[in-house]
Amino acid sequence: MSTLPPRLSVITLGARDIAALRSFYRSLGWPELPASDDGWSAFLLGGVLFALYPLPELAAEAGPGVAAPAGGWSGVTMACNVDTRGQVDTAFTDAVTAGATVVAEPTDRSWGGRSAYIADPEGNRWEIAWAGTAVFDERGALLSFG
């Protein structure tokens, strides 16, 4: 049995321009922690801390001896699941209005849900999704999926 518990506590994005990313995520209405600044910023989202940290410093800490990656999509997506099928479209529109780049318009998916993809100002991909089997608690934390 591993002593590493099965939980996700923090997601940290290495940011090229923290000020721009902070501004974008605040414009979505996400609650930023009071201790945040342009050296480190964090948002508490449904029980997971979503953090922004300078990319060169994160690369030095998490990958000593490895250069920070160049720009472009990393191949990782994050997702924000919403409560109803229709909320995919409205959340997508709100994100684009806040400055997100359209990656894929809202569409019904073969797996029975609906989703769309956006990119933040540094190209990090977010899926906005609805899955009828997802169950959330009062904080928005995912309790079960399917």
Side-chain angles (χ1 to χ4, degrees), residues 111-134:
W111 46 265
R114 183 168 180 80
S115 76
Y117 283 87
I118 58 165
D120 73 12
E122 292 195 2
N124 298 297
R125 300 297 204 267
W126 282 89
E127 181 182 23
I128 301 168
W130 170 79
T133 58

Side-chain angles (χ1 to χ4, degrees), residues 25-121:
Y25 288 109
R26 284 192 310 246
S27 71
L28 294 175
W30 290 7
E32 186 176 30
L33 296 184
S36 297
D37 59 31
D38 285 343
W40 175 86
S41 176
F43 303 81
L44 188 56
L45 309 176
V48 174
L49 192 67
F50 176 68
L52 307 173
Y53 196 67
L55 180 58
E57 293 175 37
L58 184 61
E61 181 179 309
V66 177
W73 182 43
S74 66
V76 173
T77 64
M78 295 163 284
C80 177
N81 278 68
V82 294
D83 296 320
T84 67
R85 179 182 299 276
Q87 283 179 312
V88 170
D89 298 67
T90 55
F92 174 81
T93 299
D94 289 347
V96 172
T97 299
T101 301
V102 174
V103 174
E105 297 279 341
T107 189
D108 290 334
R109 301 290 180 183
S110 61
W111 46 265
R114 183 168 180 80
S115 76
Y117 283 87
I118 58 165
D120 73 12

